[in-house]
Amino acid sequence: MKTQKLILDGKSLTFEKIKYFLEQSPKVALSTEAKSKINKARNLIDKWIKTDEVIYGVTTGFGEFANVKISIKDIETLQENLIMSHSAGVGEALPPFIVKLMMLLRVNSLAQGHSGIRLSTLNLLIDMINNNIIPVVPSQGSVGSSGDLVPLSHIVLTMIGKGKVQIIKNVLYPKSSNTKIISSKKALEKFKLKPIKLAAKEGISLNNGTQMMTAFASYICLKAKELLKIADIGGALSHEALRATDRAYDLRLHKLRPYPGQIDTAKNMLSLIKNSEIRQSHLSGDKRVQDSYSVRCIPQIHGA
């Protein structure tokens, strides 16, 4: 079946689309509206530079150097130095699927059109995604709540032709023969792509985000949803084996509490044990008032 292109606009990416992206590796593109917003914001940055406005990280230094004015001729060097200085991660490399998801999430964030990045720069990141050029990103170095500056800088490093990458189509189940690490410059040349020279504001636009932790959180949520299905099935099997009552899943009880997850789990449990012959065969003569917590509180636990 032909995969459908995944259109990003900064506001409609869902868990289902992320799952589709990881499993099917569809081509990624920006919406027309997103392109318009990106160009509009970039024009504003260019205008401010021409009028010599004082803007943090654009015409000034970073952090303690926020009060240091940067000359127009050094603006591009400032952005590259920002990326070079933050490309200092250590430890094992992140899994390729996490890095690819980081790239998707960064594009989606920048698609909102508030950062001032050039459309051509963002298009290179999209081209890398679409050609399965996956940067090698060390796992240690995130600044936490201040942002995944270091991991994201390692991705940007490959966009300027100075980092290492792998070309992997199936990031969830990569073949060992396809995990060779090569220079980003060589990989870009293979797909007729050119490294970019970061313009004003672009370095900080690309590395100032939380896409590594968001990538992990998204993947964990997807896996948790899969595990939750298995947990319900396991609970239903235990219910059968223990010859338990289904009265603990009565929806009239669960609707007294406004917890959607609890209600959904109760519905699912009733569906899984519907028409149970085991349950029917033990209705008569069963003197138990209630079952153990582990059985009767499945909706409360799985629901949460």
Side-chain angles (χ1 to χ4, degrees), residues 88-145:
V90 296
E92 295 181 6
L94 291 171
F97 69 87
I98 289 294
V99 178
K100 191 174 184 182
L101 184 50
M102 286 172 64
M103 297 164 78
L104 178 81
L105 293 170
R106 197 74 201 109
V107 171
N108 187 62
S109 177
L110 294 171
Q112 296 179 65
H114 301 310
S115 75
I117 195 170
R118 292 175 299 174
L119 181 58
S120 58
T121 298
L122 196 52
N123 278 337
L124 175 60
L125 187 55
I126 292 172
D127 286 337
M128 290 175 67
I129 292 173
N130 290 340
N131 288 290
N132 303 295
I133 303 173
I134 313 299
V136 176
V137 179
S139 56
Q140 306 293 318
S142 172
V143 192
S145 61

Side-chain angles (χ1 to χ4, degrees), residues 6 58 97 124 190 276:
L6 182 56
V58 180
F97 69 87
L124 175 60
K190 179 178 180 179
S276 167

